[in-house]
Amino acid sequence: MSVVEQYARAHIVSDADIAEDEAIPVVLRYDPDADPRSVRVDLPGTHEWTFSRALLEQGLRAPVGSGEVRVWPCGRVQAVLEFHSAQGVSVVQFETKALLRFLRRTYMATPVGS
């Protein structure tokens, strides 16, 4: 099976003095051979986050969390992913359509229940 990789732009949610329109590059990755139930988010300057593909999908509709990862919708067009680690918390805001496009591609590679 083939790996699904998608580049997206996201915004770090912070109280630091960062320009509001400054987006960061993020890599969304799905490798069905490694783990067909998980997706990976690679943020620049931090380690990668691997979590359930179902968690990402559910979090686009309602707030959910598991372990170090939380996902929730933010208005009609955005979603937030929150990552907890020993170094602190990273809160990242995405356009929902980018995450939906990524999920669609993962389900084309490996349908639910496969």
Side-chain angles (χ1 to χ4, degrees), residues 35-106:
D35 184 355
R37 293 185 205 108
S38 296
V39 294
R40 191 171 80 197
V41 176
D42 295 329
L43 300 174
T46 64
H47 71 282
E48 61 195 33
W49 295 91
T50 302
F51 56 97
S52 163
R53 177 171 71 164
L55 180 77
L56 179 59
E57 181 181 7
Q58 293 165 4
L60 297 180
R61 294 187 303 269
V64 295
S66 178
E68 301 173 330
V69 179
R70 312 273 184 278
V71 183
W72 68 88
C74 182
R76 296 179 56 196
V77 297
Q78 296 179 331
V80 173
L81 278 67
E82 182 179 288
F83 304 104
H84 294 256
S85 71
Q87 291 77 31
V89 178
S90 297
V91 180
V92 186
Q93 190 171 36
F94 288 86
E95 287 190 15
T96 302
K97 67 181 179 182
L99 297 175
L100 286 171
R101 184 171 42 250
F102 172 68
L103 280 171
R104 269 194 304 273
R105 292 179 64 208
T106 71

Side-chain angles (χ1 to χ4, degrees), residues 8-35:
R9 305 215 28 95
H11 294 272
I12 298 291
V13 178
S14 169
D15 58 359
D17 190 19
I18 298 175
E20 205 170 294
D21 61 350
E22 187 176 326
I24 60 165
V26 177
V27 179
L28 307 170
R29 186 174 172 85
Y30 174 71
D31 185 348
D33 292 330
D35 184 355

